[in-house]
């Protein structure tokens, strides 16, 4: 796991703490699309395993975790971020700019 999270690796992880105890996590995988001759952004993100302990839900930990992951995507100029939500998590993702696309949700990088 350590090498996957090392600088330059494809995965990032953030944790939420409450009184020194980990109460939530989120994982972000960064990957490149297969290069093609069209000039388009090639870096994408995959949000996985966003989890907050049930007793800490509704206190902002999930939003803070997702915001940290999205900030990292913005800093790396990630073009699209995808995830597979649960029915209970859809509102959280929609509040952070994700949109339903069939059973897939994605968030596109905002154009300046």
């Amino acid at each position: 796991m350590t090498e996957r999270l090392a600088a330059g690796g494809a995965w990032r992880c953030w944790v939420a703490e409450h009184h020194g105890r980990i109460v939530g996590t989120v994982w972000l995988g960064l990957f490149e699309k297969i290069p093609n001759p069209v000039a388009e952004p090639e870096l994408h993100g995959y949000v996985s395993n966003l989890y907050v302990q049930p007793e800490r839900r509704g206190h902002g930990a999930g939003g803070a975790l997702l915001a940290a992951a999205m900030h990292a995507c913005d800093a790396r100029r990630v073009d699209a971020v995808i995830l597979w939500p649960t029915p209970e998590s859809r509102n959280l993702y929609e509040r952070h700019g994700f949109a339903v696309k069939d059973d897939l949700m994605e968030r596109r990088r905002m154009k300046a």
Side-chain angles (χ1 to χ4, degrees), residues 20-68:
R21 216 175 105 233
I22 294 176
V23 296
T25 63
V26 66
W27 287 79
L28 171 68
L30 299 173
F31 60 96
E32 282 189 80
K33 280 187 355 187
I34 296 173
N36 62 58
V38 178
E40 63 184 10
E42 303 292 340
L43 191 60
H44 294 277
Y46 168 53
V47 171
S48 183
N49 298 326
L50 192 154
Y51 178 79
V52 175
Q53 291 179 339
E55 66 273 10
R56 294 305 310 156
R57 292 178 187 165
H59 298 280
L65 287 165
L66 187 56

